[in-house]
Amino acid sequence: QAAADPMSSSDAPEDGPKETSSVSQNISDADAFKILLEMKMKKRQKKPNLPSTVTELDTEDGSKVYVVGTAHFSDSSKKDVVKTIQEVQPDVVVVELCQYRVSMLKMDEKTLLKEAKEINLEKLQQAIKQNGVMSGLMQMLLLKVSAHITEQLGMAPGGEFREAFKEASKVPFCKFHLGDRPIPVTFKRAIAALSFWQKVKLAWGLCFLSDPISKDDVEKCKQKDLLEQMMAEMIGEFPDLHRTIVSERDVYLTYMLKQAAKQIELPRASETEPRKYIPAVVVGVVGMGHVPGIEKNWNSDLNIQEIMSVPPPSASSKIFKFVIKATVFGLMGYGCYRIGQRTVQFILSMPAAQSYLQKLTEIKSQH
């Protein structure tokens, strides 16, 4: 379709399709790439009209990165993402997702809304099996925060990422990258950063989250994503937790954006032709709360090996894990005891059982 666009002008001859067909049979891959690239460059705005939520960053080799700061539950954020991608026609789109959350790109809004509201025992068991007891519980508690916002607003999270995925597919030669640190690493590092009582306090706060939220609140939080703001308020007492959940991910996102912004090699007609590179254009879609951290880290030399390591469980984690297991098994045991007790009482209250017991008593008295 893109290759046929030049023939759509009024000057094209009547037998244009035949000529296009013969040309397409003889055109090389390198020439086809150049034609499509030229068309893409023509659509790319030299001075793009971008939303106020976009931050422009430059690399040393001339590449440009447009970071769209979004609110995860905002309709206007979706529009900001679409407009930015259409204006700059990027070579790469990077989103604040990891492979463990990529499913939200494929699900429709209705399915995601249902999934977010349904937090059940099966999901808890799956989270614990995948990430361990502590990290699994933390993941479910944070999912509860997201579900609370979802229920209040009637809107599923991640709409801006789905829009980015759709728009990126419309841009020739545009790659789509997942730019966030894997969520199990984040949760395990977060848990390791807390003491036993801090874990209890945080879990208590997440369990009893019930403040009402309106769509106006979301738009008011446009300068700081609502989910990020709620999390910041809850974890404000725990600097180490803020470091692992927010600051470390700022570093990781910055690193991934810089990797995506490396220069692009143009195709060569032959092996003898010298290599040519052009600066890349990248669009990053991240929560507004991460934008200041990305700007802060942009000109720093980043090493993500340290923030990708998972420390061994601490003594407090082992104690908390034991307490959780003991509580679960204790509740199960007590439940079985109560069920058994009520079952026996029910059986004994039946007329047939009472008649049988009376006969046994009479037989025993005769002997």
Side-chain angles (χ1 to χ4, degrees):
Q1 182 181 359
D5 280 347
M7 301 302 295
S8 63
S9 65
S10 57
D11 297 330
E14 289 182 4
D15 59 344
K18 293 180 182 179
E19 289 185 17
T20 303
S21 177
S22 63
V23 170
S24 64
Q25 290 176 2
N26 298 324
I27 197 170
S28 67
D29 290 343
D31 288 337
F33 183 94
K34 286 177 182 176
I35 291 171
L36 291 172
L37 188 62
E38 284 174 8
M39 293 180 62
K40 177 178 175 177
M41 293 301 184
K42 286 180 181 178
K43 286 187 71 177
R44 181 179 287 171
Q45 300 297 319
K46 292 181 180 179
K47 293 183 178 180
N49 180 23
L50 300 174
S52 60
T53 52
V54 177
T55 301
E56 185 178 334
L57 300 168
D58 298 304
T59 66
E60 293 177 356
D61 55 20
S63 295
K64 286 191 176 293
V65 178
Y66 299 93
V67 182
V68 188
T70 67
H72 295 316
F73 293 84
S74 168
D75 281 326
S76 61
S77 282
K78 297 179 190 177
K79 295 174 184 175
D80 290 351
V81 169
V82 171
K83 182 173 178 59
T84 303
I85 293 175
Q86 289 177 349
E87 285 280 315
V88 306
Q89 294 288 298
D91 303 301
V92 186
V93 171
V94 181
V95 295
E96 185 198 329
L97 287 177
C98 68
Q99 66 266 37
Y100 293 91
R101 291 178 290 156
V102 73
S103 59
M104 71 164 54
L105 294 175
K106 300 176 183 179
M107 292 185 188
D108 58 74
E109 198 82 9
K110 188 177 178 181
T111 306
L112 277 165
L113 201 60
K114 184 181 177 183
E115 284 283 320
K117 288 181 178 179
E118 292 180 355
I119 301 178
N120 50 39
L121 185 61
E122 185 180 350
K123 284 187 178 179
L124 176 60
Q125 289 174 333
Q126 187 178 357
I128 290 174
K129 184 178 179 181
Q130 187 178 31
N131 304 314
V133 174
M134 292 303 307
S135 297
L137 288 171
M138 177 66 76
Q139 183 175 342
M140 293 308 296
L141 288 171
L142 291 177
L143 184 60
K144 184 181 183 296
V145 177
S146 180
H148 171 64
I149 303 174
T150 298
E151 190 174 2
Q152 293 280 315
L153 301 178
M155 183 188 300
E160 74 274 35
F161 302 138
R162 289 188 289 283
E163 290 298 324
F165 184 65
K166 290 176 190 174
E167 287 302 315
S169 66
K170 299 175 186 177
V171 179
F173 313 115
C174 182
K175 297 178 182 178
F176 190 85
H177 289 182
L178 304 175
D180 202 3
R181 182 172 65 179
I183 201 166
V185 176
T186 297
F187 283 139
K188 286 174 183 177
R189 286 184 63 84
I191 290 298
L194 297 176
S195 68
F196 173 76
W197 292 113
Q198 284 177 326
K199 290 168 188 171
V200 173
K201 192 173 182 179
L202 179 66
W204 181 267
L206 290 169
C207 284
F208 293 95
L209 178 73
S210 60
D211 294 338
I213 304 163
S214 68
K215 289 191 177 182
D216 288 337
D217 292 330
V218 177
E219 296 308 322
K220 286 176 185 176
C221 290
K222 197 67 182 297
Q223 294 307 310
K224 190 172 185 182
D225 173 38
L226 179 64
L227 186 58
E228 298 286 350
Q229 180 170 319
M230 292 183 70
M231 287 304 304
E233 289 174 358
M234 284 187 291
I235 66 180
E237 302 174 48
F238 316 123
D240 290 334
L241 193 61
H242 185 276
R243 172 176 54 79
T244 54
I245 290 182
V246 180
S247 301
E248 289 184 358
R249 287 172 61 224
D250 289 346
V251 172
Y252 192 91
L253 287 165
T254 306
Y255 178 85
M256 295 302 287
L257 285 168
K258 291 178 83 169
Q259 289 296 306
K262 290 183 176 179
Q263 288 192 327
I264 300 168
E265 182 182 352
L266 295 176
R268 295 180 294 164
S270 66
E271 291 294 326
T272 57
E273 187 178 337
R275 297 178 185 272
K276 294 180 181 178
Y277 297 87
I278 59 171
V281 172
V282 178
V283 169
V285 182
V286 304
M288 183 60 75
H290 290 292
V291 176
I294 291 171
E295 285 188 277
K296 178 185 174 182
N297 292 303
W298 189 250
N299 294 316
S300 304
D301 291 328
L302 304 174
N303 184 354
I304 62 168
Q305 289 184 353
E306 184 182 345
I307 62 171
M308 286 298 290
S309 63
V310 178
S314 62
S316 63
S317 294
K318 292 178 181 178
I319 293 170
F320 194 72
K321 184 176 179 180
F322 174 77
V323 170
I324 291 292
K325 283 186 174 181
T327 303
V328 170
F329 285 118
L331 288 171
M332 288 175 62
Y334 179 72
C336 291
Y337 166 73
R338 291 292 295 171
I339 291 170
Q341 190 181 43
R342 288 183 180 181
T343 303
V344 171
Q345 289 175 349
F346 174 74
I347 293 172
L348 292 177
S349 66
M350 294 174 68
Q354 290 181 350
S355 175
Y356 181 74
L357 288 171
Q358 188 176 1
K359 287 180 181 179
L360 284 176
T361 304
E362 290 173 357
I363 294 171
K364 189 176 180 181
S365 62
Q366 288 174 4
H367 289 288

